[in-house]
Amino acid sequence: MITQAIQLHPAPPHVKVPQHPVWPALSADEKSALKERIKALLKAQNAVLVAHYYVDGDLQALAEETGGCVADSLEMARYGSSTDAETLVVCGVRFMGETAKILNPEKRVLMPDLGATCSLDEGCPADLFSAFCDAHPDRTVVVYANTSAAVKARADWMVTSGIALPIIRHLHERGEKILWAPDRHLGHYVQQQTGADILLWEGSCVVHEEFKGFALERLKRLHPNAAVLVHPESPEDVLQYADVVGSTTALIKAVAQLPNEEFIVATDDGIFWKMHQLAPNKKLISAPTAGAGATCESCAHCPWMAMNALQNLEQVLITGDNAVTVDPATGVQAVKSIQRMLDFAAANRISGALPGR
Ligand code: 13P
Ligand code: SF4
């Protein structure tokens, strides 16, 4: 079957990658006092934390201690509607906050930093994307969760990495041709696994794009018993060495369930917090982002996820600033593609949650 990598005219914009923010160090006493203040604020405001595995471990721990959610983007999307909390505080990146708001327009959705975006989202502006869809009206439009509300509003389906394969397989079996955006690596992987006819947008994740197949192959030789875990936003030359390819939840499950003692992990190293929690005796090694002496923009840690910290979380709960807003008309359109995914997940018992959570 066909995968057409297309060149857009004009090409998607170059995405400017911010520096990693540097947060002032906190003593153990300062950190514990700050956490207690945040817990009191959450309780007083009937608010709950919804955190991604890539954010700082302190935030993930706090989300768990306060009865919130730490998850992949599929479960983060589902979770907001399952809680009675009136405020969702999304510790992650902008598209996660927008998805929570679209699905729960009656709730207040806050984020520590509204500037926490994503290179995939930034690299797929709604006007260019809409023109791309207009040029291919015969195709079913499937977009990755890592997109703006306006892009989701133009889509038939939204998918996350945890559910992309079964949904594309389902559409392919129905004889549908796909227009896929924005991550070309995930799109290519899904095409190879399903044989579907997919037309790809040219976006990529700046974090996963930096993993290098040749360096991974060398590292694998040094650790012959290590299992290699790869997120499918990584390039094909990295995916070829994977023992497990999957969403963040799937990679965490692999560490907990496989018998190996060592793992080479090709995704954001924020995920190590949860992996260590579930498998404290296993050795985790970051996949190489480049050859010897080379530099990289993200070094296996998303600069936008790093904009979330205890300090700005407290601030946002005090001020109520950084409320996520979505234009209501856009939200009404966008919810259709998201809900279609959630309904498919429920009907096929596909979950982004870890077992027992
Ligand atoms: P998951 O849905 O696998 O958690 O991935 C989200 C993401 O942004 C990966 O870079
Ligand atoms: Fe986006 Fe990549 Fe960051 Fe995930 S890791 S939020 S895909 S830039």
Side-chain angles (χ1 to χ4, degrees), residues 54 93 95 117-120 146 205-208 233 268 302 304-305:
Y54 292 167
V93 291
F95 77 82
T117 174
C118 163
S119 64
L120 289 166
N146 304 36
C205 160
V206 295
V207 178
H208 293 86
E233 288 169 14
D268 184 296
C302 176
W304 294 288
M305 289 281 184

Side-chain angles (χ1 to χ4, degrees), residues 14 49 111 124 144 217 240 265 269 283-284 313 352:
H14 175 72
L49 297 179
M111 293 189 69
C124 189
Y144 195 30
E217 194 266 333
Q240 68 176 315
V265 182
D269 58 17
K283 183 172 176 190
L284 307 175
L313 170 58

Side-chain angles (χ1 to χ4, degrees), residues 132-155:
F132 183 43
C133 295
D134 289 345
H136 302 282
D138 56 325
R139 288 179 179 265
T140 300
V141 177
V142 181
V143 300
Y144 195 30
N146 304 36
T147 46
S148 65
V151 165
K152 290 182 178 80
R154 190 66 169 82

Side-chain angles (χ1 to χ4, degrees), residues 186-244:
L186 178 58
H188 184 253
Y189 170 71
V190 164
Q191 192 284 327
Q192 294 223 308
Q193 295 296 309
T194 61
D197 179 340
I198 304 185
L199 186 59
L200 297 174
W201 184 268
E202 291 268 321
S204 63
C205 160
V206 295
V207 178
H208 293 86
E209 185 83 270
E210 286 176 353
F211 294 117
K212 300 286 179 266
F214 68 91
L216 177 57
E217 194 266 333
R218 272 207 303 257
L219 187 65
K220 218 170 124 73
R221 269 191 270 129
L222 294 174
H223 299 272
N225 297 321
V228 178
L229 312 180
V230 181
H231 195 280
E233 288 169 14
S234 307
E236 192 182 8
D237 73 324
V238 173
L239 284 167
Q240 68 176 315
Y241 295 110
D243 295 299
V244 177

